[in-house]
Amino acid sequence: MAQKPSIPKGTRDFLPADVARRSYVIDIIKTQFERFGFLPIETPAMEKAATLQGKYGEEGDRLIFNILNSGEKVKKADVSALAEDELKRFTASVSEKALRYDLTVPFARFVVQHQNELTFPFKRYQVQSVWRADRPQRGRFQEFTQCDADVVGAVSPVLEAECIQLFDAVFRDLSLKGATIRINHRSILSGIAAYLGAPERITDFTVALDKIDKIGATGVFDELTEKGFDKSALSKLSPLLQVSGDITQQLETLEKILFNYPDALKGITHLRDVLRFVSPLQASHLVFDLSLARGLNYYTGIIFEISPPKSVEMGSIGAGGRYDDLTALFGLKDMHGLGISFGLDRLCMVLEELDLFPLTLKQSVDVVVLNFGSSYMQDLMPHIAHWRADGVRVMVYPTDHKLKKQMQFANQSMTPWTLFYGESEQKQKIITLKNMQSGDTKEVKLSEFTYSLLAT
Amino acid sequence: MAQKPSIPKGTRDFLPADVARRSYVIDIIKTQFERFGFLPIETPAMEKAATLQGKYGEEGDRLIFNILNSGEKVKKADVSALAEDELKRFTASVSEKALRYDLTVPFARFVVQHQNELTFPFKRYQVQSVWRADRPQRGRFQEFTQCDADVVGAVSPVLEAECIQLFDAVFRDLSLKGATIRINHRSILSGIAAYLGAPERITDFTVALDKIDKIGATGVFDELTEKGFDKSALSKLSPLLQVSGDITQQLETLEKILFNYPDALKGITHLRDVLRFVSPLQASHLVFDLSLARGLNYYTGIIFEISPPKSVEMGSIGAGGRYDDLTALFGLKDMHGLGISFGLDRLCMVLEELDLFPLTLKQSVDVVVLNFGSSYMQDLMPHIAHWRADGVRVMVYPTDHKLKKQMQFANQSMTPWTLFYGESEQKQKIITLKNMQSGDTKEVKLSEFTYSLLAT
């Protein structure tokens, strides 16, 4: 009995048109990564379980896909752990490898492992799949592609400025106008927590603040009250959230309010240092966003998050920030890092929604050669070999089916041209080219066909 | 305690120079796939276990990497199966997904699942990783990349001829001369088995024959004797193995010997049909190889296998053949297929050994900008933004470390150019470019720098 074929939930097949769209975006991102001095690396899909476990928090650990040990090794399954509901222990007894959960931890592992082969500061980019046992939903998959660029081994505001410029350059090349590059600084958040009288509660504070887009300022206040922040703290927070104007003005206002809090001043000064090196953006807006607090345990300096243009309802399409000591997990200290990431899938969804994919992407091959039978094909094949060597993408219809059927194929495959070489062409040593859009035909000497003829 | 970082056996990290080499080969293969009318698709790394199980023989099944069910699902582990040493049943109880083992079975699944979205004949290519729990050794990895092109939904000798041409075009573009494209036909092997008086023993016969390169004709004869072939059979086989001359002559000789065996004649005729459409090869030799018998259960017509140039000791670097009814496993009958595959890892090893990778691959960025301090960098950054927009790959040294240290970085990163913008340059509104190979410098007006200056 034949199986009805399907793929696991949260995974996807990509048809040629999908691959074309994704490659278009990936190529633009890679090109910009390289223009900003990043070099490509790749790491294996399978890492040792120990490399990944404990790096993503408890929730993250649960979402890691583990690979079952192969062969006889599964016999070592710890059945008692299973009986005692110790699933983690049971998993460890049958699985030594796991699938890449993100590109950052493998990169940290890579830097430590290959430190003697690398030149620092080391700028690397990586475009690879990651896997998460997350509940699938719109824009969230169990297998998806991340596009990361990180620099390790240097601290300089020039690097942060380049991240901003890089985001903008990618959006410019994608013709995506109106994305917002939101920035904040971890030290400013620490300073504010101190200003509110609860420096040790910075996590509670930022977790609440992070939700302001969803639950509004009132919601944030409610949550903070619940967490034990007192009224005076909240009344101090209110004006901070209303800081307005351009970034320079916002930072000035903040500075006046927080002048007594060294952490805050440090963050403000650093953002100003970064802004000195930022040239005018071409496709996106740069804004300071006090409520931006992503991944706080992880980031230690500037934080980035990119919102798509306002007309599109979608979460962030990019993010990043400065982190310190990520490599310390693997035994290498004082290796400062700064990284950004593009969310390929969401970026594609945004471009799709705004109809920003170039029409030309849909083209499959340059020309479909119609097949009038063996003797004609035998004549034609050596010429086709030359055309292909010149770069023409040629689909030869493999059999001499009825012309109607072949033309139907040509239409469905959206080829811009078809090529006829039948009895009359053979006699005259010509080919006939048909433009599939206009319906116009032209005759060309068999020996004179070149790629450029297909351009017009 | 920090972990000493490492990766699972049989997997690899790729450093920038590795990625450059692999991308070089992949790009050439992809470009040729497209010139021959193949379109790209991608399938998920994770397939349902049922899709893969039972498709690769018992040995293959054992080498599939299974993914442990996540969360509470592992509680369904069939402990009794484990106790009874029923590892397959145990595995099935804790694992519903598995990693892609090759690209062919997922492609068959894809064709059936998306049959209504595809235009037939459908030519697809796919360059993706596959995973096998094989014992790692030189040239054999647990995670490796396959480059496959297949056409389904048509039968025509033109397609087989195109496969040969495609192999040759890739080798030509890689400047790899002297590879051997070996072909055979399953029907010829059937015909010979009949001629030897044991048509039902074709598997024994071909398994032995396949080893002729390793064990010689005598070894093959010994093995066949062991399997019960009688002396008269072996004396009939001997002249077949000595058939010589070019392909046309070989087929003629074969035809004379096997004139009474319809299967053999069918295969011979078919190969002749294919040869009609093959233009002169440019980089490789085409030979008929009677001992070629790969994956017999799978292939039903022509068989391809590519040997590297004789100076390199290495197994096959490419293979392929015609198969029928692979999609029948998933419920779609009469979908004939023909496919070829390049072994990326081995191909890279061959190119490495023959020193065929272009030297230019080693270049990292186009220019390293030396950093003389904030005020200079602030001047320079808007210009750098323009240069990058023009396509220049610019690495800005992020800090104003001592020049010696910066030059050391530039040397190690193998940049062809460094760019100086210090006090004297700032005064004159120029930049100084230093060619890192010749040591020559040239001064250029800040506003007049273009990509083309780096070409010379």
Side-chain angles (χ1 to χ4, degrees), chain A residues 13-23 361 363-365 393, chain B residues 30 33-35 37-43 107 110 118 122-128 148-150:
Chain A
D13 281 328
F14 297 111
L15 275 77
D18 304 319
V19 175
R21 278 191 291 267
R22 291 166 65 84
S23 301
L361 283 184
Q363 282 183 15
S364 50
V365 291
R393 292 171 301 166
Chain B
K30 280 187 177 177
F33 282 167
E34 292 185 0
R35 291 190 190 165
F38 294 91
L39 302 175
I41 70 158
E42 289 176 14
T43 62
F107 173 55
F110 176 98
L118 305 176
F122 180 59
K123 292 174 103 169
R124 85 84 172 82
Y125 75 85
Q126 197 170 349
V127 177
Q128 291 193 280
D148 280 25
D150 288 79

mmCIF file of all heavy atoms in Angstrom, chain A residues 13-23 361 363-365 393, chain B residues 30 33-35 37-43 107 110 118 122-128 148-150:
data_model
loop_
_atom_site.group_PDB
_atom_site.id
_atom_site.type_symbol
_atom_site.label_atom_id
_atom_site.label_comp_id
_atom_site.label_asym_id
_atom_site.label_seq_id
_atom_site.Cartn_x
_atom_site.Cartn_y
_atom_site.Cartn_z
ATOM 1 N N ASP A 13 8.526 22.318 1.954
ATOM 2 C CA ASP A 13 9.187 22.111 0.669
ATOM 3 C C ASP A 13 9.251 23.466 -0.031
ATOM 4 O O ASP A 13 8.311 24.263 0.083
ATOM 5 C CB ASP A 13 8.346 21.184 -0.222
ATOM 6 C CG ASP A 13 8.508 19.713 0.150
ATOM 7 O OD1 ASP A 13 9.602 19.334 0.600
ATOM 8 O OD2 ASP A 13 7.530 18.956 -0.024
ATOM 9 N N PHE A 14 10.329 23.688 -0.770
ATOM 10 C CA PHE A 14 10.413 24.906 -1.562
ATOM 11 C C PHE A 14 10.416 24.550 -3.032
ATOM 12 O O PHE A 14 11.310 23.848 -3.510
ATOM 13 C CB PHE A 14 11.655 25.705 -1.183
ATOM 14 C CG PHE A 14 11.631 26.187 0.241
ATOM 15 C CD1 PHE A 14 12.498 25.665 1.183
ATOM 16 C CD2 PHE A 14 10.706 27.140 0.638
ATOM 17 C CE1 PHE A 14 12.464 26.097 2.506
ATOM 18 C CE2 PHE A 14 10.666 27.581 1.961
ATOM 19 C CZ PHE A 14 11.537 27.057 2.899
ATOM 20 N N LEU A 15 9.400 25.016 -3.746
ATOM 21 C CA LEU A 15 9.331 24.810 -5.186
ATOM 22 C C LEU A 15 10.258 25.807 -5.879
ATOM 23 O O LEU A 15 10.720 26.758 -5.242
ATOM 24 C CB LEU A 15 7.882 24.959 -5.662
ATOM 25 C CG LEU A 15 7.055 23.653 -5.516
ATOM 26 C CD1 LEU A 15 6.628 23.426 -4.085
ATOM 27 C CD2 LEU A 15 5.843 23.663 -6.423
ATOM 28 N N PRO A 16 10.526 25.601 -7.171
ATOM 29 C CA PRO A 16 11.486 26.488 -7.841
ATOM 30 C C PRO A 16 11.196 27.980 -7.631
ATOM 31 O O PRO A 16 12.121 28.758 -7.388
ATOM 32 C CB PRO A 16 11.358 26.082 -9.316
ATOM 33 C CG PRO A 16 11.038 24.620 -9.252
ATOM 34 C CD PRO A 16 10.126 24.477 -8.061
ATOM 35 N N ALA A 17 9.929 28.379 -7.689
ATOM 36 C CA ALA A 17 9.626 29.809 -7.516
ATOM 37 C C ALA A 17 9.973 30.262 -6.092
ATOM 38 O O ALA A 17 10.421 31.395 -5.888
ATOM 39 C CB ALA A 17 8.148 30.073 -7.806
ATOM 40 N N ASP A 18 9.760 29.380 -5.106
ATOM 41 C CA ASP A 18 10.128 29.716 -3.719
ATOM 42 C C ASP A 18 11.639 29.862 -3.591
ATOM 43 O O ASP A 18 12.138 30.797 -2.968
ATOM 44 C CB ASP A 18 9.691 28.602 -2.749
ATOM 45 C CG ASP A 18 8.207 28.303 -2.835
ATOM 46 O OD1 ASP A 18 7.425 29.261 -2.954
ATOM 47 O OD2 ASP A 18 7.834 27.112 -2.797
ATOM 48 N N VAL A 19 12.352 28.894 -4.170
ATOM 49 C CA VAL A 19 13.813 28.932 -4.072
ATOM 50 C C VAL A 19 14.333 30.214 -4.721
ATOM 51 O O VAL A 19 15.231 30.878 -4.191
ATOM 52 C CB VAL A 19 14.453 27.696 -4.735
ATOM 53 C CG1 VAL A 19 15.973 27.812 -4.736
ATOM 54 C CG2 VAL A 19 14.022 26.420 -4.014
ATOM 55 N N ALA A 20 13.741 30.589 -5.857
ATOM 56 C CA ALA A 20 14.183 31.798 -6.560
ATOM 57 C C ALA A 20 14.019 33.019 -5.651
ATOM 58 O O ALA A 20 14.912 33.859 -5.546
ATOM 59 C CB ALA A 20 13.398 31.978 -7.858
ATOM 60 N N ARG A 21 12.868 33.098 -4.983
ATOM 61 C CA ARG A 21 12.624 34.249 -4.105
ATOM 62 C C ARG A 21 13.584 34.253 -2.920
ATOM 63 O O ARG A 21 14.140 35.277 -2.558
ATOM 64 C CB ARG A 21 11.173 34.239 -3.600
ATOM 65 C CG ARG A 21 10.191 34.831 -4.616
ATOM 66 C CD ARG A 21 8.824 35.045 -3.998
ATOM 67 N NE ARG A 21 8.179 33.775 -3.708
ATOM 68 C CZ ARG A 21 7.353 33.150 -4.535
ATOM 69 N NH1 ARG A 21 7.048 33.705 -5.685
ATOM 70 N NH2 ARG A 21 6.822 31.996 -4.200
ATOM 71 N N ARG A 22 13.761 33.087 -2.311
ATOM 72 C CA ARG A 22 14.651 33.009 -1.151
ATOM 73 C C ARG A 22 16.110 33.293 -1.550
ATOM 74 O O ARG A 22 16.825 34.010 -0.850
ATOM 75 C CB ARG A 22 14.523 31.643 -0.474
ATOM 76 C CG ARG A 22 13.159 31.450 0.204
ATOM 77 C CD ARG A 22 12.905 30.004 0.581
ATOM 78 N NE ARG A 22 13.828 29.529 1.597
ATOM 79 C CZ ARG A 22 13.674 29.712 2.907
ATOM 80 N NH1 ARG A 22 12.640 30.374 3.359
ATOM 81 N NH2 ARG A 22 14.539 29.224 3.752
ATOM 82 N N SER A 23 16.512 32.752 -2.700
ATOM 83 C CA SER A 23 17.890 32.996 -3.150
ATOM 84 C C SER A 23 18.114 34.481 -3.424
ATOM 85 O O SER A 23 19.187 35.018 -3.147
ATOM 86 C CB SER A 23 18.190 32.222 -4.431
ATOM 87 O OG SER A 23 18.009 30.855 -4.215
ATOM 88 N N LEU A 361 12.269 37.214 -11.557
ATOM 89 C CA LEU A 361 12.581 36.014 -10.785
ATOM 90 C C LEU A 361 11.784 34.816 -11.260
ATOM 91 O O LEU A 361 12.174 33.683 -11.065
ATOM 92 C CB LEU A 361 12.238 36.237 -9.306
ATOM 93 C CG LEU A 361 13.199 37.068 -8.486
ATOM 94 C CD1 LEU A 361 12.740 37.079 -7.053
ATOM 95 C CD2 LEU A 361 14.599 36.479 -8.588
ATOM 96 N N GLN A 363 11.184 33.840 -14.185
ATOM 97 C CA GLN A 363 11.680 33.161 -15.371
ATOM 98 C C GLN A 363 12.435 31.897 -15.008
ATOM 99 O O GLN A 363 13.255 31.880 -14.108
ATOM 100 C CB GLN A 363 12.581 34.087 -16.168
ATOM 101 C CG GLN A 363 11.780 35.074 -16.964
ATOM 102 C CD GLN A 363 12.663 35.945 -17.812
ATOM 103 O OE1 GLN A 363 13.823 35.623 -18.009
ATOM 104 N NE2 GLN A 363 12.116 37.023 -18.307
ATOM 105 N N SER A 364 12.145 30.875 -15.756
ATOM 106 C CA SER A 364 12.735 29.581 -15.466
ATOM 107 C C SER A 364 14.005 29.379 -16.285
ATOM 108 O O SER A 364 15.109 29.508 -15.788
ATOM 109 C CB SER A 364 11.721 28.501 -15.783
ATOM 110 O OG SER A 364 11.190 28.706 -17.080
ATOM 111 N N VAL A 365 13.823 29.071 -17.554
ATOM 112 C CA VAL A 365 14.973 28.917 -18.438
ATOM 113 C C VAL A 365 14.910 30.059 -19.447
ATOM 114 O O VAL A 365 13.937 30.810 -19.487
ATOM 115 C CB VAL A 365 14.932 27.555 -19.180
ATOM 116 C CG1 VAL A 365 15.168 26.419 -18.205
ATOM 117 C CG2 VAL A 365 13.622 27.373 -19.919
ATOM 118 N N ARG A 393 20.459 29.282 -20.809
ATOM 119 C CA ARG A 393 19.793 28.187 -20.113
ATOM 120 C C ARG A 393 18.751 27.575 -21.048
ATOM 121 O O ARG A 393 17.738 28.201 -21.361
ATOM 122 C CB ARG A 393 19.144 28.708 -18.826
ATOM 123 C CG ARG A 393 20.201 29.128 -17.792
ATOM 124 C CD ARG A 393 19.587 29.845 -16.626
ATOM 125 N NE ARG A 393 18.885 31.026 -17.106
ATOM 126 C CZ ARG A 393 18.030 31.722 -16.375
ATOM 127 N NH1 ARG A 393 17.751 31.361 -15.138
ATOM 128 N NH2 ARG A 393 17.439 32.788 -16.875
ATOM 129 N N LYS B 30 25.757 24.377 -10.090
ATOM 130 C CA LYS B 30 24.413 24.970 -10.195
ATOM 131 C C LYS B 30 24.220 25.671 -11.534
ATOM 132 O O LYS B 30 23.169 25.551 -12.167
ATOM 133 C CB LYS B 30 24.197 25.993 -9.077
ATOM 134 C CG LYS B 30 23.831 25.395 -7.735
ATOM 135 C CD LYS B 30 23.473 26.527 -6.766
ATOM 136 C CE LYS B 30 23.029 25.979 -5.419
ATOM 137 N NZ LYS B 30 22.739 27.069 -4.458
ATOM 138 N N PHE B 33 23.654 23.065 -14.089
ATOM 139 C CA PHE B 33 22.314 22.492 -13.912
ATOM 140 C C PHE B 33 21.278 23.406 -14.583
ATOM 141 O O PHE B 33 20.390 22.952 -15.297
ATOM 142 C CB PHE B 33 21.976 22.348 -12.427
ATOM 143 C CG PHE B 33 22.610 21.152 -11.738
ATOM 144 C CD1 PHE B 33 22.597 21.057 -10.345
ATOM 145 C CD2 PHE B 33 23.178 20.119 -12.450
ATOM 146 C CE1 PHE B 33 23.152 19.956 -9.692
ATOM 147 C CE2 PHE B 33 23.748 19.005 -11.809
ATOM 148 C CZ PHE B 33 23.726 18.935 -10.427
ATOM 149 N N GLU B 34 21.422 24.699 -14.352
ATOM 150 C CA GLU B 34 20.430 25.636 -14.903
ATOM 151 C C GLU B 34 20.542 25.747 -16.416
ATOM 152 O O GLU B 34 19.533 25.886 -17.105
ATOM 153 C CB GLU B 34 20.578 27.004 -14.233
ATOM 154 C CG GLU B 34 20.159 26.900 -12.770
ATOM 155 C CD GLU B 34 20.144 28.215 -12.009
ATOM 156 O OE1 GLU B 34 20.463 29.263 -12.601
ATOM 157 O OE2 GLU B 34 19.808 28.178 -10.799
ATOM 158 N N ARG B 35 21.767 25.676 -16.937
ATOM 159 C CA ARG B 35 21.912 25.738 -18.402
ATOM 160 C C ARG B 35 21.301 24.515 -19.073
ATOM 161 O O ARG B 35 20.932 24.556 -20.239
ATOM 162 C CB ARG B 35 23.389 25.854 -18.786
ATOM 163 C CG ARG B 35 23.929 27.204 -18.387
ATOM 164 C CD ARG B 35 25.290 27.440 -18.956
ATOM 165 N NE ARG B 35 25.865 28.635 -18.377
ATOM 166 C CZ ARG B 35 27.157 28.957 -18.459
ATOM 167 N NH1 ARG B 35 27.979 28.167 -19.113
ATOM 168 N NH2 ARG B 35 27.609 30.053 -17.900
ATOM 169 N N GLY B 37 18.568 23.268 -18.038
ATOM 170 C CA GLY B 37 17.120 23.360 -17.852
ATOM 171 C C GLY B 37 16.587 22.834 -16.535
ATOM 172 O O GLY B 37 15.378 22.672 -16.379
ATOM 173 N N PHE B 38 17.477 22.546 -15.587
ATOM 174 C CA PHE B 38 17.008 22.084 -14.276
ATOM 175 C C PHE B 38 16.683 23.285 -13.384
ATOM 176 O O PHE B 38 17.367 24.310 -13.442
ATOM 177 C CB PHE B 38 18.078 21.209 -13.603
ATOM 178 C CG PHE B 38 18.336 19.914 -14.321
ATOM 179 C CD1 PHE B 38 19.319 19.819 -15.298
ATOM 180 C CD2 PHE B 38 17.566 18.787 -14.043
ATOM 181 C CE1 PHE B 38 19.558 18.624 -15.979
ATOM 182 C CE2 PHE B 38 17.789 17.582 -14.714
ATOM 183 C CZ PHE B 38 18.787 17.511 -15.690
ATOM 184 N N LEU B 39 15.638 23.131 -12.572
ATOM 185 C CA LEU B 39 15.224 24.205 -11.663
ATOM 186 C C LEU B 39 15.478 23.768 -10.219
ATOM 187 O O LEU B 39 15.344 22.590 -9.889
ATOM 188 C CB LEU B 39 13.723 24.488 -11.841
ATOM 189 C CG LEU B 39 13.293 24.875 -13.261
ATOM 190 C CD1 LEU B 39 11.767 25.002 -13.316
ATOM 191 C CD2 LEU B 39 13.948 26.186 -13.673
ATOM 192 N N PRO B 40 15.802 24.723 -9.353
ATOM 193 C CA PRO B 40 16.135 24.353 -7.974
ATOM 194 C C PRO B 40 14.904 24.094 -7.108
ATOM 195 O O PRO B 40 13.901 24.795 -7.210
ATOM 196 C CB PRO B 40 16.867 25.598 -7.452
ATOM 197 C CG PRO B 40 16.271 26.730 -8.242
ATOM 198 C CD PRO B 40 15.951 26.165 -9.599
ATOM 199 N N ILE B 41 14.991 23.074 -6.286
ATOM 200 C CA ILE B 41 13.994 22.896 -5.219
ATOM 201 C C ILE B 41 14.771 22.614 -3.923
ATOM 202 O O ILE B 41 15.967 22.318 -3.948
ATOM 203 C CB ILE B 41 13.001 21.729 -5.468
ATOM 204 C CG1 ILE B 41 13.706 20.367 -5.345
ATOM 205 C CG2 ILE B 41 12.304 21.850 -6.796
ATOM 206 C CD1 ILE B 41 12.755 19.210 -5.058
ATOM 207 N N GLU B 42 14.077 22.718 -2.806
ATOM 208 C CA GLU B 42 14.660 22.319 -1.524
ATOM 209 C C GLU B 42 13.615 21.548 -0.733
ATOM 210 O O GLU B 42 12.431 21.846 -0.792
ATOM 211 C CB GLU B 42 15.130 23.537 -0.725
ATOM 212 C CG GLU B 42 16.353 24.189 -1.332
ATOM 213 C CD GLU B 42 16.780 25.462 -0.608
ATOM 214 O OE1 GLU B 42 16.291 25.703 0.517
ATOM 215 O OE2 GLU B 42 17.580 26.215 -1.177
ATOM 216 N N THR B 43 14.066 20.555 -0.003
ATOM 217 C CA THR B 43 13.165 19.794 0.863
ATOM 218 C C THR B 43 13.699 19.903 2.297
ATOM 219 O O THR B 43 14.858 20.231 2.500
ATOM 220 C CB THR B 43 13.098 18.308 0.427
ATOM 221 O OG1 THR B 43 14.405 17.737 0.546
ATOM 222 C CG2 THR B 43 12.614 18.171 -1.005
ATOM 223 N N PHE B 107 12.963 13.573 -3.077
ATOM 224 C CA PHE B 107 12.503 14.109 -4.353
ATOM 225 C C PHE B 107 11.297 13.321 -4.857
ATOM 226 O O PHE B 107 10.320 13.896 -5.341
ATOM 227 C CB PHE B 107 13.635 14.085 -5.380
ATOM 228 C CG PHE B 107 13.213 14.475 -6.768
ATOM 229 C CD1 PHE B 107 12.576 15.692 -6.983
ATOM 230 C CD2 PHE B 107 13.427 13.640 -7.848
ATOM 231 C CE1 PHE B 107 12.170 16.068 -8.265
ATOM 232 C CE2 PHE B 107 13.023 14.000 -9.127
ATOM 233 C CZ PHE B 107 12.393 15.209 -9.329
ATOM 234 N N PHE B 110 8.442 14.421 -2.932
ATOM 235 C CA PHE B 110 8.113 15.784 -3.365
ATOM 236 C C PHE B 110 7.270 15.764 -4.646
ATOM 237 O O PHE B 110 6.266 16.467 -4.759
ATOM 238 C CB PHE B 110 9.425 16.542 -3.594
ATOM 239 C CG PHE B 110 9.302 17.937 -4.137
ATOM 240 C CD1 PHE B 110 9.348 19.026 -3.278
ATOM 241 C CD2 PHE B 110 9.168 18.167 -5.503
ATOM 242 C CE1 PHE B 110 9.261 20.329 -3.780
ATOM 243 C CE2 PHE B 110 9.064 19.459 -6.005
ATOM 244 C CZ PHE B 110 9.114 20.536 -5.142
ATOM 245 N N LEU B 118 3.352 20.980 -10.469
ATOM 246 C CA LEU B 118 4.539 20.885 -11.319
ATOM 247 C C LEU B 118 4.162 20.731 -12.784
ATOM 248 O O LEU B 118 3.087 20.239 -13.111
ATOM 249 C CB LEU B 118 5.402 19.683 -10.893
ATOM 250 C CG LEU B 118 5.830 19.630 -9.422
ATOM 251 C CD1 LEU B 118 6.588 18.346 -9.121
ATOM 252 C CD2 LEU B 118 6.672 20.845 -9.061
ATOM 253 N N PHE B 122 9.512 17.267 -15.561
ATOM 254 C CA PHE B 122 10.006 18.168 -14.530
ATOM 255 C C PHE B 122 11.489 17.897 -14.296
ATOM 256 O O PHE B 122 11.876 16.782 -13.965
ATOM 257 C CB PHE B 122 9.190 17.963 -13.247
ATOM 258 C CG PHE B 122 9.636 18.858 -12.106
ATOM 259 C CD1 PHE B 122 9.626 20.244 -12.240
ATOM 260 C CD2 PHE B 122 10.054 18.305 -10.902
ATOM 261 C CE1 PHE B 122 10.032 21.069 -11.188
ATOM 262 C CE2 PHE B 122 10.463 19.127 -9.845
ATOM 263 C CZ PHE B 122 10.452 20.511 -9.992
ATOM 264 N N LYS B 123 12.280 18.932 -14.501
ATOM 265 C CA LYS B 123 13.720 18.815 -14.262
ATOM 266 C C LYS B 123 14.055 19.626 -13.022
ATOM 267 O O LYS B 123 13.869 20.838 -13.004
ATOM 268 C CB LYS B 123 14.505 19.381 -15.460
ATOM 269 C CG LYS B 123 14.367 18.571 -16.740
ATOM 270 C CD LYS B 123 15.060 19.267 -17.922
ATOM 271 C CE LYS B 123 16.384 18.597 -18.236
ATOM 272 N NZ LYS B 123 16.965 19.067 -19.539
ATOM 273 N N ARG B 124 14.520 18.953 -11.996
ATOM 274 C CA ARG B 124 14.872 19.703 -10.787
ATOM 275 C C ARG B 124 16.328 19.428 -10.389
ATOM 276 O O ARG B 124 16.850 18.353 -10.639
ATOM 277 C CB ARG B 124 13.947 19.349 -9.618
ATOM 278 C CG ARG B 124 14.325 18.109 -8.791
ATOM 279 C CD ARG B 124 15.347 18.402 -7.715
ATOM 280 N NE ARG B 124 15.581 17.305 -6.801
ATOM 281 C CZ ARG B 124 16.380 16.279 -7.030
ATOM 282 N NH1 ARG B 124 16.995 16.152 -8.188
ATOM 283 N NH2 ARG B 124 16.560 15.348 -6.117
ATOM 284 N N TYR B 125 16.946 20.430 -9.774
ATOM 285 C CA TYR B 125 18.213 20.150 -9.111
ATOM 286 C C TYR B 125 18.104 20.506 -7.649
ATOM 287 O O TYR B 125 17.196 21.251 -7.237
ATOM 288 C CB TYR B 125 19.394 20.858 -9.782
ATOM 289 C CG TYR B 125 19.532 22.347 -9.553
ATOM 290 C CD1 TYR B 125 20.183 22.841 -8.418
ATOM 291 C CD2 TYR B 125 19.055 23.268 -10.485
ATOM 292 C CE1 TYR B 125 20.343 24.201 -8.227
ATOM 293 C CE2 TYR B 125 19.216 24.634 -10.295
ATOM 294 C CZ TYR B 125 19.852 25.099 -9.161
ATOM 295 O OH TYR B 125 20.010 26.454 -8.960
ATOM 296 N N GLN B 126 18.990 19.951 -6.865
ATOM 297 C CA GLN B 126 18.906 20.098 -5.418
ATOM 298 C C GLN B 126 20.329 19.964 -4.872
ATOM 299 O O GLN B 126 21.016 18.989 -5.153
ATOM 300 C CB GLN B 126 17.983 18.981 -4.885
ATOM 301 C CG GLN B 126 17.440 19.176 -3.507
ATOM 302 C CD GLN B 126 16.345 18.148 -3.166
ATOM 303 O OE1 GLN B 126 15.852 17.422 -4.044
ATOM 304 N NE2 GLN B 126 15.964 18.101 -1.907
ATOM 305 N N VAL B 127 20.770 20.947 -4.145
ATOM 306 C CA VAL B 127 22.091 20.921 -3.511
ATOM 307 C C VAL B 127 21.868 21.092 -2.021
ATOM 308 O O VAL B 127 21.591 22.185 -1.543
ATOM 309 C CB VAL B 127 23.004 22.044 -4.051
ATOM 310 C CG1 VAL B 127 24.351 22.046 -3.330
ATOM 311 C CG2 VAL B 127 23.214 21.887 -5.559
ATOM 312 N N GLN B 128 21.895 19.991 -1.300
ATOM 313 C CA GLN B 128 21.616 20.061 0.130
ATOM 314 C C GLN B 128 22.410 18.993 0.884
ATOM 315 O O GLN B 128 22.942 18.062 0.289
ATOM 316 C CB GLN B 128 20.109 19.861 0.380
ATOM 317 C CG GLN B 128 19.251 21.028 -0.111
ATOM 318 C CD GLN B 128 17.824 20.974 0.426
ATOM 319 O OE1 GLN B 128 16.970 20.236 -0.082
ATOM 320 N NE2 GLN B 128 17.571 21.752 1.460
ATOM 321 N N ASP B 148 22.359 17.030 -6.826
ATOM 322 C CA ASP B 148 21.608 16.114 -7.687
ATOM 323 C C ASP B 148 20.816 16.849 -8.755
ATOM 324 O O ASP B 148 20.266 17.926 -8.491
ATOM 325 C CB ASP B 148 20.592 15.330 -6.837
ATOM 326 C CG ASP B 148 21.217 14.161 -6.100
ATOM 327 O OD1 ASP B 148 22.440 14.207 -5.852
ATOM 328 O OD2 ASP B 148 20.480 13.213 -5.763
ATOM 329 N N ALA B 149 20.733 16.253 -9.918
ATOM 330 C CA ALA B 149 19.814 16.734 -10.947
ATOM 331 C C ALA B 149 19.030 15.537 -11.454
ATOM 332 O O ALA B 149 19.617 14.490 -11.743
ATOM 333 C CB ALA B 149 20.566 17.408 -12.080
ATOM 334 N N ASP B 150 17.723 15.675 -11.513
ATOM 335 C CA ASP B 150 16.870 14.580 -11.982
ATOM 336 C C ASP B 150 15.811 15.135 -12.923
ATOM 337 O O ASP B 150 15.366 16.267 -12.765
ATOM 338 C CB ASP B 150 16.143 13.904 -10.803
ATOM 339 C CG ASP B 150 17.065 13.077 -9.929
ATOM 340 O OD1 ASP B 150 17.777 13.675 -9.111
ATOM 341 O OD2 ASP B 150 17.062 11.840 -10.071
#
